[in-house]
């Protein structure tokens, strides 16, 4: 939290004004790219997909012929519910916060500068924190907890999707940093809540939430034990013979 607060303050005092001036006086070369990727940060498709997956898993729990299939369906239902709660909960809180703060968007830089506040005055004054960035932070942190081997990929995706809001001129850098951090923090908090109720996660001795058991589709395959591993990876039998 201390690191995030300092990053937000540094961006607020050093980066936001130049970005606002640039947005007001210079056409964005990267704006078409930003418009292409920024819609991926909308919460609608994530909430719809996770809700659909949750209800499908509930149906499978009732109809599955084997205990193993039911267990897998329960696992999927917990995963979908966790993603839904993380994205929906963080989105509701951040939308309330941005209305209370009432920061003017970069498009109003000439009139309000980067520090103008006008609470409860509509969408043009809902810049801090970024709702899109909050959704991205919540969703990709949830995915990082569900699939730890790919957390670096999710981090890179989060930065690009979050700062696409700066590229299209909808938010200042401090808005994005605050949104990404809040969304990520909310997903971790929800994972801890799930762990304390014995659902899907467990807590390590240091308090960090981890999966109770790996999700097969979200883990890296063990090529060494595969019957036909990729080129360059010797099969298990050959490895045993060479070690003998």
């Amino acid at each position: 939290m201390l690191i995030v607060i300092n990053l937000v303050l540094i961006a607020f005092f050093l980066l936001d004004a130049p970005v606002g001036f640039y947005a007001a006086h210079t056409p964005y070369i990267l704006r078409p790219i930003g418009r292409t990727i920024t819609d991926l940060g909308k919460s609608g498709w994530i909430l719809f997909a996770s809700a659909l997956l949750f209800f499908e898993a509930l149906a499978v729990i009732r109809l599955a012929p084997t205990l193993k299939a039911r267990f897998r369906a329960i696992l999927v239902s917990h995963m979908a519910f966790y993603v839904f709660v993380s994205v929906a909960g963080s989105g509701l809180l951040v939308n309330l916060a941005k209305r209370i703060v009432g920061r003017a968007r970069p498009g109003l830089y000439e009139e309000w500068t980067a520090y103008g506040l006008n609470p409860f005055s509509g969408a043009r004054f809902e810049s801090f924190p970024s709702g899109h960035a909050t959704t991205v932070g919540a969703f990709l942190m949830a995915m990082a907890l569900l699939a730890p081997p790919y957390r670096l990929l999710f981090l890179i995706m989060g930065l690009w999707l979050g700062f696409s809001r700066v590229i299209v001129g909808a938010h200042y850098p401090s808005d994005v940093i605050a949104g990404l951090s809040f969304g990520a923090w909310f997903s971790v908090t929800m994972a801890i809540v799930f762990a304390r109720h014995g659902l899907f996660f467990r807590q390590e001795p240091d308090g960090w939430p981890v999966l109770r058991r790996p999700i097969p589709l979200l883990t890296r395959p063990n090529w060494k034990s595969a019957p036909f591993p990729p080129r360059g990876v010797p099969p298990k039998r050959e490895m045993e013979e060479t070690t003998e």
Side-chain angles (χ1 to χ4, degrees), residues 114-186:
Y115 313 113
L117 302 178
N118 192 13
F120 303 105
S121 300
R124 297 192 305 163
F125 295 90
E126 295 177 2
S127 187
F128 183 90
S130 167
H132 275 68
T134 300
T135 296
V136 169
F139 177 65
L140 292 178
M141 174 55 79
M143 294 304 299
L145 292 174
L146 297 175
Y150 305 101
R151 57 185 178 272
L152 180 60
L153 173 63
F154 295 136
L155 173 61
I156 295 172
M157 290 175 61
L159 291 174
W160 272 103
L161 290 174
F163 279 92
S164 69
R165 304 302 291 164
V166 177
I167 294 175
V168 299
H171 287 283
Y172 293 102
S174 61
D175 304 333
V176 172
I177 295 172
L180 286 174
S181 303
F182 178 76
W185 169 83
F186 194 88

Side-chain angles (χ1 to χ4, degrees), residues 2 9 17 19 50 52 96 100 108 117 143 162 174 187 211 217 235:
L2 180 63
L9 290 175
V19 167
S50 56
L52 181 63
L96 176 62
I100 294 174
L108 301 175
L117 302 178
M143 294 304 299
S174 61
S187 289
L211 292 174
L217 293 177

Side-chain angles (χ1 to χ4, degrees), residues 200-218:
F200 202 59
F201 292 98
R202 61 178 174 82
Q203 277 187 279
E204 293 284 89
D206 61 359
W208 188 258
V210 295
L211 292 174
R212 286 183 171 273
R213 54 185 57 83
I215 302 174
L217 293 177
L218 299 178

Side-chain angles (χ1 to χ4, degrees), residues 9-10 30 52 67-68 74 77 92 99 130 139-140 169 175 194 199 202 216 219-220 226 228 233 239:
L9 290 175
I10 290 171
L30 296 177
L52 181 63
L67 184 62
K68 186 176 181 180
I74 291 173
S77 69
L92 288 174
R99 284 167 172 77
S130 167
F139 177 65
L140 292 178
D175 304 333
F194 272 56
L199 297 172
R202 61 178 174 82
T219 55
R220 289 175 179 170
F228 300 101
V233 179
M239 290 182 64

